[in-house]
Amino acid sequence: MTVLASLVIDILNYVGIIAFAVSGALKAIEKDMDLLGVVVLGFSTALVGGITRDVLLGVTPPVNITYLPYPITAIVASLAALPFARYVTRGIKPFLYADALGLGAFTAIGAQVAFTHGINPLGIAMLASITAVGGGVVRDLLANEVPMVLSREVYACASIIGGFAYWPLVELLPGDAALIVTVLVSSIRIAAIERGWSLPRARSLAWKGDRPRRRRSS
Amino acid sequence: MTVLASLVIDILNYVGIIAFAVSGALKAIEKDMDLLGVVVLGFSTALVGGITRDVLLGVTPPVNITYLPYPITAIVASLAALPFARYVTRGIKPFLYADALGLGAFTAIGAQVAFTHGINPLGIAMLASITAVGGGVVRDLLANEVPMVLSREVYACASIIGGFAYWPLVELLPGDAALIVTVLVSSIRIAAIERGWSLPRARSLAWKGDRPRRRRSS
Amino acid sequence: MTVLASLVIDILNYVGIIAFAVSGALKAIEKDMDLLGVVVLGFSTALVGGITRDVLLGVTPPVNITYLPYPITAIVASLAALPFARYVTRGIKPFLYADALGLGAFTAIGAQVAFTHGINPLGIAMLASITAVGGGVVRDLLANEVPMVLSREVYACASIIGGFAYWPLVELLPGDAALIVTVLVSSIRIAAIERGWSLPRARSLAWKGDRPRRRRSS
């Protein structure tokens, strides 16, 4: 990987840690948790995906615990979100873009780590997307909600596409694969936000005669 | 273990992966998730139990990620469930039987792996039942429900009995222990389905004077 | 660590396992689970925090599975809680005190294990509090509730303070650090119970113009 690509991904990784921590903190505020809940949800959203990846690969203790700048960034970002929580909701554009950049960087880093551990292409895609969306799943479980990524627009899907793209890319362009994956995932996610893309509901594929919306319109 | 016993368990393991993946996919459809949710719940239900066992034993990366036929079977089964979802619900007999066979095979495999890592008999029973029911617990958590196995008929219980039986069996009949455990667990589970067996509610043992049903009948 | 300090912590560790297992069993009864649910929630509340710490540190299989007295104590305590469940609720003072002693001992043991694995001070605090409150989080997730520790009075907070205190203490007083942390955490928790301490709600810090209570009084 070139020095520049490495630097870009490193910066976007911090953008992701901050955006993810803020999304955890906002969820904690929404659920009327206390200060500790804000830090725990912020930390978990930002870092539990990477921790899970490391545990699955046998990298213990996980980097997100041992490399201090990561947990400190997540904790500070969670607390810093508090005074701005009136203005920054998860729905505003600048926040969604930061989140999309983080999604891309997390996916690329997860794919890289899995690849260097000799995992197969399907496993790379799984570990890349666990890195990117695992934290959000834990945030929603702690808030006692169905994880957003399982029932909403193109989010985890963008990460999975990037995870699958990493393996052919790293064979062809070993120096640039991570950066291309970052750009790819972030672009898909941003396009999905702008154009309102969503995956088909499972139910619409499963039960052809049982769609409430159509019944109402008839 | 004889070649035949090994083959039977291997086949039943795939029966289990398919039945468990389908049960996860059906839950995702029930909860109106999107296509990705179907795959994630199918995959998790089929494979997260074994992944958890491997992580607890330090077997990383887990076999359910590195041995490609397992995740591929789970993902394909999840998607294949979609067009049949109108006809296959979790309550129909053929599905419950397939699920029971999987429960047996997963328990036996979990016990075997724990035993070869030198775990104590109680630990073997725990890891065997985590292998068998851990995926279903995660499925229900992701669907934001109380895990079915904690409040329903004899299911995890069959697996735990099989897990405890493995250790004496493997000392007496090392070649047949896994197959006997598979048959034992599946038989208990099928008998429980047929006869409607259930464990006593904790509340009925805990508060003798506080049973709503009796009050009504008085 | 002196023999006496070691003995005191060992005894308080068992007090904690019993108190935590009982709190899990009571939650299972409250949620109308079956007998198995009582054992699973009791076991999880008492031991999953330590299991998570061990997995994160690469100590596999975890001590809470391999050292039989721990799981056996948790399982027996869960079942023993059943006949007394009418009299022992989680709100009564003797139970809260036992729980507070366990919180202290679990924190000290978690900090010790993390320290001996060369983890940084922030990581020690995290692993110490995961040891102490991780089980309670899993108990609440299995009961399909928002984890109590994220939205209630000073509980996890006491553990985190103790976790941060361990590192300077062990540098100054290596023989007594664990005992001091135990006493510190238990004392903060008991003081919080007695005086009704609580952390500020995140919402009160976040939205200055949006406090329902003030509006009512105006």
Side-chain angles (χ1 to χ4, degrees):
Chain A
M1 193 157 57
T2 64
V3 174
L4 182 64
S6 177
L7 182 69
V8 170
I9 291 171
D10 210 35
I11 291 171
L12 293 181
N13 185 33
Y14 280 102
V15 171
I17 293 176
I18 293 168
F20 284 29
V22 169
S23 105
L26 293 175
K27 177 65 79 179
I29 294 166
E30 184 193 319
K31 290 279 166 173
D32 201 22
M33 294 181 182
D34 62 18
L35 259 186
L36 182 78
V38 169
V39 173
V40 170
L41 256 72
F43 178 91
S44 301
T45 310
L47 302 179
V48 166
I51 289 173
T52 306
R53 174 203 63 217
D54 284 358
V55 166
L56 290 172
L57 290 170
V59 180
T60 51
V63 173
N64 284 353
I65 291 176
T66 54
Y67 184 66
L68 277 172
Y70 293 164
I72 290 173
T73 302
I75 292 168
V76 170
S78 307
L79 292 172
L82 275 173
F84 303 104
R86 291 182 81 173
Y87 313 105
V88 183
T89 64
R90 284 190 298 157
I92 62 166
K93 281 283 166 72
F95 179 74
L96 287 176
Y97 286 177
D99 189 88
L101 294 174
L103 189 76
F106 277 37
T107 302
I109 292 166
Q112 261 184 325
V113 176
F115 178 76
T116 58
H117 279 76
I119 305 295
N120 59 63
L122 178 59
I124 291 174
M126 287 196 287
L127 290 165
S129 50
I130 287 171
T131 306
V133 308
V137 169
V138 169
R139 173 198 64 208
D140 295 347
L141 288 180
L142 290 174
N144 201 18
E145 296 183 350
V146 172
M148 186 198 78
V149 298
L150 299 178
S151 51
R152 240 197 27 165
E153 72 261 33
V154 175
Y155 188 91
C157 200
S159 172
I160 290 170
I161 292 169
F164 274 111
Y166 184 83
W167 185 74
L169 282 169
V170 84
E171 299 290 331
L172 291 170
L173 305 158
D176 302 310
L179 190 56
I180 297 173
V181 166
T182 305
V183 172
L184 176 69
V185 173
S186 301
S187 304
I188 296 174
R189 176 63 189 140
I190 288 171
I193 295 166
E194 292 298 332
R195 309 194 170 204
W197 288 348
S198 66
L199 284 182
R201 300 267 138 189
R203 199 170 279 176
S204 67
L205 300 169
W207 286 302
K208 290 203 171 161
D210 190 29
R211 294 189 196 161
R213 284 184 201 165
R214 292 221 170 161
R215 275 187 191 161
R216 274 181 202 162
S217 66
S218 66
Chain B
M1 192 156 56
T2 65
V3 174
L4 183 64
S6 177
L7 182 69
V8 169
I9 291 171
D10 210 35
I11 291 170
L12 293 182
N13 186 32
Y14 281 101
V15 171
I17 292 176
I18 294 168
F20 284 29
V22 169
S23 105
L26 293 176
K27 177 65 78 182
I29 293 166
E30 184 192 318
K31 290 279 165 173
D32 200 22
M33 294 179 180
D34 62 19
L35 260 186
L36 182 78
V38 168
V39 173
V40 171
L41 255 72
F43 179 92
S44 301
T45 310
L47 301 179
V48 166
I51 288 173
T52 306
R53 174 204 63 216
D54 283 358
V55 166
L56 290 172
L57 290 170
V59 179
T60 51
V63 173
N64 284 353
I65 290 176
T66 55
Y67 184 65
L68 276 171
Y70 292 164
I72 289 173
T73 302
I75 292 168
V76 170
S78 307
L79 292 173
L82 276 174
F84 303 104
R86 290 181 82 173
Y87 312 105
V88 183
T89 63
R90 284 190 299 157
I92 64 167
K93 281 283 164 73
F95 180 74
L96 288 175
Y97 287 177
D99 188 88
L101 293 174
L103 189 76
F106 277 37
T107 303
I109 292 166
Q112 262 183 324
V113 176
F115 178 77
T116 57
H117 281 76
I119 305 294
N120 60 63
L122 178 59
I124 291 174
M126 287 196 287
L127 289 164
S129 49
I130 287 171
T131 306
V133 307
V137 169
V138 170
R139 174 198 63 211
D140 295 347
L141 289 180
L142 289 174
N144 201 17
E145 295 182 349
V146 172
M148 187 199 77
V149 299
L150 298 178
S151 51
R152 238 198 27 166
E153 72 262 33
V154 175
Y155 188 91
C157 200
S159 173
I160 290 169
I161 291 169
F164 274 113
Y166 185 82
W167 185 73
L169 281 169
V170 84
E171 298 290 331
L172 291 169
L173 304 159
D176 303 310
L179 190 56
I180 297 173
V181 166
T182 305
V183 172
L184 176 68
V185 173
S186 301
S187 304
I188 295 173
R189 176 63 190 140
I190 288 171
I193 295 165
E194 292 297 332
R195 308 195 171 203
W197 289 347
S198 66
L199 283 182
R201 300 266 139 190
R203 199 170 278 175
S204 68
L205 299 169
W207 288 299
K208 290 204 172 159
D210 189 30
R211 293 188 197 163
R213 283 183 202 164
R214 292 222 170 160
R215 275 184 188 161
R216 273 182 203 162
S217 67
S218 68
Chain C
M1 191 156 58
T2 65
V3 175
L4 183 64
S6 177
L7 182 69
V8 170
I9 291 171
D10 211 33
I11 291 171
L12 294 182
N13 186 32
Y14 281 101
V15 171
I17 292 176
I18 293 168
F20 284 29
V22 169
S23 104
L26 293 175
K27 177 63 80 181
I29 294 166
E30 184 192 319
K31 290 279 165 172
D32 200 23
M33 293 181 181
D34 62 18
L35 258 187
L36 182 77
V38 168
V39 173
V40 170
L41 256 73
F43 179 92
S44 301
T45 310
L47 302 179
V48 167
I51 288 173
T52 306
R53 174 202 64 217
D54 284 358
V55 166
L56 290 173
L57 290 170
V59 180
T60 51
V63 174
N64 283 353
I65 290 176
T66 55
Y67 184 66
L68 277 171
Y70 293 164
I72 289 173
T73 302
I75 292 168
V76 170
S78 307
L79 292 172
L82 275 173
F84 303 104
R86 292 182 80 172
Y87 313 105
V88 184
T89 64
R90 284 189 299 157
I92 63 167
K93 281 284 166 69
F95 179 74
L96 287 175
Y97 287 177
D99 188 88
L101 293 174
L103 189 76
F106 277 37
T107 302
I109 291 166
Q112 261 183 323
V113 176
F115 178 77
T116 57
H117 279 76
I119 305 293
N120 60 63
L122 177 59
I124 292 174
M126 288 196 285
L127 289 164
S129 50
I130 287 171
T131 306
V133 309
V137 169
V138 170
R139 173 197 64 209
D140 295 347
L141 288 181
L142 289 174
N144 202 16
E145 296 182 350
V146 172
M148 186 197 78
V149 297
L150 298 178
S151 51
R152 238 197 28 167
E153 72 261 34
V154 175
Y155 188 91
C157 200
S159 173
I160 290 170
I161 292 168
F164 275 112
Y166 185 82
W167 185 73
L169 281 168
V170 84
E171 298 291 330
L172 291 169
L173 305 158
D176 302 310
L179 190 56
I180 296 173
V181 166
T182 305
V183 172
L184 176 68
V185 173
S186 300
S187 304
I188 296 173
R189 175 64 189 139
I190 288 171
I193 296 166
E194 292 299 330
R195 308 194 172 204
W197 288 348
S198 66
L199 284 182
R201 299 268 139 188
R203 198 170 279 177
S204 67
L205 300 169
W207 288 300
K208 289 203 172 161
D210 189 31
R211 294 189 196 162
R213 284 184 202 164
R214 291 219 171 162
R215 276 186 189 162
R216 273 181 204 163
S217 68
S218 68

